[in-house]
């Protein structure tokens, strides 16, 4: 970690110090016993969370996880509260010392990402990306050769971030955006028709990081090895093949009208499974869930998907996922689908969250197929009517007991308490 004196000046420092001073002021207030271990009352903790949310998005602090930042500030608050009031330093001085002690100069570097199935003139600029021919730089050729054959084209992106992983993530995001812009112009900017097979170009998974003139790292994307064929011929030790056969039998038993919706769901879940970009995974997963759980005439889908998906598990006596996380993910899906910027989303958190949603969606699909067979459903009206008149009511009762009354109210706007299916 960089010495505090070397990082005592950074953009936004005065604002961050100002945001921490009210927290220290809150630490001086008398507390009841249940708040004493935090050193802050509820209002103080809210101020703390606001500051933490600012810091995790600041390049000078993003080398730390959210919980590490919170712990550092909480410890400082407790020390400040325990100190002799007559000997305490001024709040501004304490805030500066704490923040400067955990701040660090962000990494700055040039990331090169390999591109396949595309040729462009050396030096072509698209958005934040410069496309370069690696053959003009022997060091780049050698670095990529260590990952395999050197690509014929590279994306060159200047990036600032708190960690090397974030450098690569941000570079990739910029590169994917530039390739998407290029693909749009490619598809629709010519008078002649362009076929989809002509725009399959993209990142090949290799990257090189350069700091100034020195190449510091090289490898495959996310430091994974080359893709290798999957061998499932010996996968029966854990009963996997038996479960696959059961899943297949349940799928084949679905009535034709409902099968179309199941096929649509599987198609969307496959889009999510074949991507490692959360901006694709989240909308795809929920498009699949809507195919299973929401007739086309139904509005306010977020609460409907949440309650019904939980009810699918409950109807089989299975444990269910946190409804709050389902709603959070659906709201993120809505932002992405409707073009709302999501600057508050942290890349690492979003990737992990998307992985969790893929698992959730598969569990919903699996239980859905089992439930369809158990109740003899042949249409989506059959399945949602069964859920709304039964287990959805139990889910709503649970939500009302656990702070989810607002979610229940929105669900009830679509499905009244009498349980009639308005789909």
């Amino acid at each position: 970690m960089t010495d505090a004196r070397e990082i005592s000046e950074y953009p936004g420092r005065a604002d961050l110090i100002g945001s921490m001073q009210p927290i220290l002021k809150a630490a001086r207030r008398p507390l009841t016993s249940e708040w004493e271990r935090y050193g802050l009352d509820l209002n103080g903790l809210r101020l703390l969370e606001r500051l933490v949310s600012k810091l995790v998005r600041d390049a000078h602090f993003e080398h730390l996880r959210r919980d590490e930042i919170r712990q550092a500030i909480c410890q400082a608050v407790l020390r400040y509260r325990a100190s002799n009031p007559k000997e305490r330093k001024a709040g501004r001085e304490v805030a500066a010392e704490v923040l400067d002690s955990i701040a660090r100069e962000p990494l700055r570097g040039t990331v090169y990402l390999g591109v396949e199935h595309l040729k462009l003139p050396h030096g072509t600029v698209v958005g934040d990306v410069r496309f370069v021919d690696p053959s003009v730089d022997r060091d780049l050729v050698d670095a990529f050769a260590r990952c395999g054959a050197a690509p014929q084209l590279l994306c060159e992106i200047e990036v600032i971030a708190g960690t090397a992983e974030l450098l690569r993530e941000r570079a990739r995001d910029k590169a994917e955006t530039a390739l998407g812009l290029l693909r749009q112009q490619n598809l629709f900017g010519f008078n002649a028709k362009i076929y989809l097979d002509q725009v399959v170009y993209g990142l090949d998974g290799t990257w090189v990081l350069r700091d100034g003139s020195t190449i510091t790292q090289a490898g495959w994307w996310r430091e994974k090895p080359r893709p290798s064929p999957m061998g499932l011929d010996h996968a029966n030790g854990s009963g996997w093949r038996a479960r696959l056969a059961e899943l297949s039998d349940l799928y084949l038993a679905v009535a034709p009208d409902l099968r179309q919706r199941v096929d649509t769901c599987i198609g969307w879940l496959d889009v999510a499974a074949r991507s490692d970009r959360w901006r694709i995974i989240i909308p795809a997963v929920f498009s699949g869930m809507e195919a299973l759980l929401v007739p086309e005439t139904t509005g306010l889908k977020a609460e409907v998907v949440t309650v019904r998906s939980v009810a699918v598990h409950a109807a089989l006596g299975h444990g269910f996922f946190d409804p709050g996380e389902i709603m959070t993910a659906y709201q993120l899906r809505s932002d992405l689908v409707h073009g709302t910027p999501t600057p508050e989303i942290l890349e690492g958190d979003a990737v992990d969250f998307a992985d969790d949603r893929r698992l959730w969606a598969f569990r919903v699909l699996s239980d859905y197929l089992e439930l369809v067979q158990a109740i003899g459903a042949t249409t989506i009206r059959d399945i949602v009517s069964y859920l709304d008149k039964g287990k959805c009511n139990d889910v709503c009762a649970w939500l009302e007991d656990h702070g989810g009354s607002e979610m229940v109210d929105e669900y009830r706007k679509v499905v009244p308490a009498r349980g009639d299916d308005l789909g």
Side-chain angles (χ1 to χ4, degrees), residues 2-25:
T2 303
D3 185 85
R5 287 171 297 181
E6 298 175 7
I7 194 65
S8 61
E9 292 298 332
Y10 44 91
R13 179 175 181 266
D15 176 62
L16 294 173
I17 291 172
S19 296
M20 186 168 174
Q21 285 180 268
I23 300 173
L24 296 173
K25 182 178 180 180

Side-chain angles (χ1 to χ4, degrees), residues 254-275:
V254 174
D257 287 348
L258 201 52
R259 171 82 77 83
Q260 292 181 14
R261 287 184 170 274
V262 171
D263 287 348
T264 298
C265 173
I266 293 171
W268 279 115
L269 298 193
D270 195 48
V271 169
R274 295 166 66 85
S275 176

Side-chain angles (χ1 to χ4, degrees), residues 342-415:
T342 55
E344 75 282 0
I345 302 299
L346 298 177
E347 191 73 22
D349 292 346
V351 170
D352 292 341
F353 192 54
D355 281 342
D356 183 68
R357 292 303 92 196
R358 285 192 286 206
L359 172 60
W360 162 75
F362 172 71
R363 296 274 177 81
V364 174
L365 171 64
S366 299
D367 285 354
Y368 184 91
L369 293 176
E370 186 178 342
L371 183 61
V372 165
Q373 185 179 72
I375 68 173
T378 60
T379 67
I380 189 171
R381 181 178 294 277
D382 293 338
I383 193 78
V384 300
S385 179
Y386 174 84
L387 294 171
D388 289 339
K389 293 176 180 178
K391 286 299 178 181
C392 283
N393 294 320
D394 295 341
V395 173
C396 287
W398 184 90
L399 286 168
E400 287 174 332
D401 289 339
H402 293 81
S405 296
E406 184 176 345
M407 191 185 306
V408 174
D409 290 343
E410 294 300 318
Y411 168 77
R412 290 300 185 198
K413 290 178 181 178
V414 180
V415 184

Side-chain angles (χ1 to χ4, degrees), residues 222-241:
R222 297 184 187 277
E223 300 183 301
K224 291 181 180 178
R226 281 180 182 272
S228 59
M230 173 62 76
L232 295 173
D233 48 337
H234 301 294
N236 199 35
S238 61
W240 182 85
R241 288 174 62 187

Side-chain angles (χ1 to χ4, degrees), residues 182-254:
L182 175 66
R183 192 173 288 110
Q184 288 295 305
Q185 179 65 27
N186 191 175
L187 279 168
F188 307 114
F190 288 107
N191 292 327
K193 180 175 176 57
I194 302 297
Y195 295 91
L196 292 181
D197 285 349
Q198 296 174 275
V199 292
V200 295
Y201 48 79
L203 302 179
D204 70 1
T206 57
W207 59 270
V208 164
L209 177 61
R210 170 179 267 162
D211 182 3
S213 61
T214 304
I215 290 177
T216 59
Q217 295 183 37
W220 282 86
W221 191 250
R222 297 184 187 277
E223 300 183 301
K224 291 181 180 178
R226 281 180 182 272
S228 59
M230 173 62 76
L232 295 173
D233 48 337
H234 301 294
N236 199 35
S238 61
W240 182 85
R241 288 174 62 187
R243 292 195 297 275
L244 175 62
E246 181 182 1
L247 182 66
S248 177
D249 290 343
L250 289 171
Y251 167 78
L252 290 172
V254 174

